[in-house]
Amino acid sequence: MSSVAVTGSRVPALAPPPPPPPPAYPSAPEERERYEALKANPVFVAAETPVSTFSIDVDTGAYSNVRRFLNEGRLPPADAVRVEELINYFDYAYAGPQDRKTPFALHTELGPSPWNSNTELLAIGIQGWKPADAAIRPSNLVFLVDVSGSMMDPNKLPLVKASLKLLATELTAKDRISLVVYAGRTEVVLEPTPGDQTATIVAALDRLEAGGSTNGAGGIQLAYAMAEKAFIPGGNNRVLLATDGDFNVGISDIRQLKSLVENKRRSGVALSTLGYGGGNYNDALMEQIADVGNGHYSYIDTLNEARRVLVDERASALETIAKDVKIQVEFNPAVVAEYRLIGYENRVLNREDFNNDAIDAGDIGAGHRVTALYEIARVGSDGAKVDPLRYGNDKAASSKPAGKASELAFLRLRYKHPDDGEAAKSRLIERVIGAGDAVAANQTSPGFKLAAAVAAYGQILRGGAYTDRYAFRDAAALAQSALAASADQASGRTAEFIELAKLAGGLQSRQASNTVREGVD
């Protein structure tokens, strides 16, 4: 038998396997969307600062952009929510003026604030004159389309092309259409063409493809040149810029671009912006260059929205009936203790700007409606948020000037008629708002209820600094109470808003739940 030698040596133990790597979760996409930082208007003491002045705004882009966020299953950034643009998305059934000579009618309504039983809302509404389709002046339009690489997504260039085709089918032989594109370079795709040559216009749009960098400033300059080439005296001369706003070649600084557009508007050509897409969307640029270009800003998230902006409200988008419209409200400190303007943060003007016709302000298109809301606290109510001064003079807040005790506020409005020319003197409208004009909650109009609901929704989306415990479900219920008599019932906008408010409430609850869960973990 063979012998076996035992040496006493040991076999080394195997090292334990390394722990498995942590599960890989997909990282959130980099947020590259750009919004102007806005701080909510403060509460003013009427005895100290009785006058509020601002430029009107008829943009509605923030509403559909916020809708896009909600439909994607996330709450929007606070700065994406410009409350006045949400409010102005809706039709409040204001009666219009009789003719174009006086281009708009003024409306005021005073009722309880839904989120604070101790304050009231003052609604100021403007309804623009709307001509019959046959009376719309001929349009010289330049479609300025971004065809850079960032526009490849289905909700960008393909939606742009479909949108502009909708508008093209509405035009007539008296109109002129040009098509300019820009990427790394700029190009005229379609020279000025009669609007009834729909097939030619559609074929030019069909040829557009995305690729390359984004020289937006070069495109703007070429588009203005084309608009001036086909200029129609007395007509609607306008550039329609369709882009995600992601300029990365040439001038890209917002201030420089605004200066470029501001200089070009003196030619009599307006510039409106149509925003598309997300991820890299530049809302700040789109909104601000439309403002200085005497135009309007819309965000197109669906083809239905394109139809609303470019077909249903075509006259509003193309034809200007009043320029440089400014509102000034002087509150009577004997009646009003405090007030705050809801929204319009980047439209606030200095008091002296109201009478300065050199100061640019907003324009109103045919059929446009504009609504502004003030939340006010009366003298002696429990709605005031600011403590009285220990060493101040309270006489202004306690005395009642002779003959003025019945007045809550004095409304002034300035505007220029478009046909008066750039150097024309503005026209003035004045109106007293009575202290006794307030009505009970059950007597306010459906339009007032809807505007208050939308204002609450917008403020809650921005953080709810002034809305206390008022919730999205409350805003939805208030809008529901206005739905039966709403002028927007046929369009479905009010019903859609109710669903969006409920969706926002659900997303807010989910976000709060996730925050609590993360804190526990």
Side-chain angles (χ1 to χ4, degrees), residues 15-328:
Y25 296 103
S27 58
E30 180 185 0
E31 186 57 72
R32 294 175 52 221
E33 299 197 13
R34 281 157 283 180
Y35 298 93
E36 181 188 9
L38 295 175
K39 186 177 180 180
N41 290 321
V43 173
F44 288 101
V45 176
E48 299 170 3
T49 311
V51 179
S52 170
T53 308
F54 66 98
S55 162
I56 63 98
D57 190 343
V58 292
D59 296 342
T60 60
Y63 183 88
S64 46
N65 191 29
V66 166
R67 178 175 62 198
R68 186 251 306 185
F69 275 99
L70 296 176
N71 285 332
E72 289 176 353
R74 55 192 177 129
L75 292 171
D79 289 328
V81 184
R82 288 182 294 275
V83 182
E84 74 280 2
E85 294 186 23
L86 274 56
I87 296 170
N88 286 328
Y89 191 82
F90 294 89
D91 183 356
Y92 301 109
Y94 300 134
Q98 297 300 313
D99 54 46
R100 188 169 184 159
K101 192 175 298 182
T102 303
F104 44 76
L106 282 178
H107 301 271
T108 60
E109 189 168 357
L110 184 62
S113 166
W115 54 81
N116 187 337
S117 60
N118 295 311
T119 62
E120 297 166 278
L121 289 184
L122 170 62
I124 299 172
I126 298 173
Q127 178 61 56
W129 172 77
K130 184 176 182 178
D133 288 344
I136 296 176
R137 295 184 289 188
S139 295
N140 163 37
L141 304 178
V142 179
F143 296 163
L144 174 57
V145 180
D146 180 353
V147 294
S148 65
S150 69
M151 294 291 288
M152 288 184 179
D153 295 343
N155 62 350
K156 293 187 179 181
L157 184 58
L159 184 55
V160 170
K161 293 159 67 173
S163 302
L164 295 180
K165 287 177 185 178
L166 290 176
L167 176 56
T169 61
E170 298 294 311
L171 302 175
T172 67
K174 66 181 181 180
D175 302 311
R176 294 290 179 271
I177 300 298
S178 309
L179 177 58
V180 173
V181 298
Y182 65 90
R185 62 186 181 88
T186 61
E187 180 184 354
V188 177
V189 175
L190 184 69
E191 293 281 345
T193 301
D196 62 343
Q197 295 187 18
T198 307
T200 301
I201 298 167
V202 168
L205 289 167
D206 281 337
R207 292 197 298 270
L208 303 186
E209 295 182 357
S213 53
T214 317
N215 183 10
I220 291 172
Q221 290 170 321
L222 181 57
Y224 272 108
M226 292 302 297
E228 291 166 13
K229 178 179 179 180
F231 192 85
I232 300 176
N236 303 313
N237 298 281
R238 187 175 300 266
V239 173
L240 291 177
L241 169 59
T243 176
D244 60 10
D246 189 22
F247 294 4
N248 53 37
V249 173
I251 301 173
S252 58
D253 179 76
I254 288 183
R255 290 170 298 179
Q256 291 179 285
L257 287 165
K258 287 171 65 177
S259 179
L260 168 64
V261 172
E262 190 172 3
N263 288 331
K264 291 292 186 180
R265 78 174 182 222
R266 297 188 178 94
S267 66
V269 177
L271 182 142
S272 291
T273 56
L274 304 173
Y276 290 83
N280 61 334
Y281 184 60
N282 193 341
D283 171 89
L285 173 67
M286 301 296 286
E287 191 252 349
Q288 292 182 48
I289 63 173
D291 286 348
V292 299
N294 286 347
H296 314 301
Y297 162 52
S298 303
Y299 179 83
I300 309 298
D301 58 335
T302 64
L303 195 57
N304 281 337
E305 183 66 13
R307 180 176 297 280
R308 182 191 76 85
V309 172
L310 299 175
V311 177
D312 299 344
E313 300 186 2
R314 178 169 60 98
S316 302
L318 302 182
E319 181 150 354
T320 299
I321 60 170
K323 299 174 62 177
D324 293 338
V325 185
K326 306 170 189 174
I327 291 177
Q328 187 170 81

Side-chain angles (χ1 to χ4, degrees), residues 298-449:
S298 303
Y299 179 83
I300 309 298
D301 58 335
T302 64
L303 195 57
N304 281 337
E305 183 66 13
R307 180 176 297 280
R308 182 191 76 85
V309 172
L310 299 175
V311 177
D312 299 344
E313 300 186 2
R314 178 169 60 98
S316 302
L318 302 182
E319 181 150 354
T320 299
I321 60 170
K323 299 174 62 177
D324 293 338
V325 185
K326 306 170 189 174
I327 291 177
Q328 187 170 81
V329 182
E330 180 184 352
F331 290 96
N332 182 358
V335 178
V336 177
E338 295 174 357
Y339 68 89
R340 69 180 181 95
L341 175 62
I342 299 174
Y344 294 93
E345 284 86 0
N346 61 1
R347 289 287 197 164
V348 172
L349 299 174
N350 297 322
R351 181 176 176 180
E352 62 271 19
D353 293 341
F354 184 73
N355 292 322
N356 185 350
D357 287 341
I359 299 295
D360 182 58
D363 297 351
I364 293 180
H368 259 149
R369 56 208 165 263
V370 186
T371 300
L373 295 177
Y374 284 93
E375 183 178 12
I376 64 171
R378 297 214 189 200
V379 171
S381 73
D382 291 330
K385 295 183 178 294
V386 181
D387 292 333
L389 294 173
R390 178 178 177 86
Y391 304 108
N393 184 350
D394 290 334
K395 289 182 179 179
S398 60
S399 62
K400 293 188 176 182
K404 302 294 193 301
S406 62
E407 298 181 7
L408 180 108
F410 192 59
L411 171 63
R412 300 178 180 91
L413 188 143
R414 282 197 177 277
Y415 71 96
K416 296 176 183 175
H417 196 284
D419 297 334
D420 289 347
E422 286 290 325
K425 184 175 176 58
S426 62
R427 308 182 187 199
L428 177 65
I429 298 174
E430 297 179 318
R431 173 176 297 180
V432 170
I433 300 172
D437 290 349
V439 298
N442 61 358
Q443 296 178 314
T444 55
S445 68
F448 182 94
K449 291 183 176 72

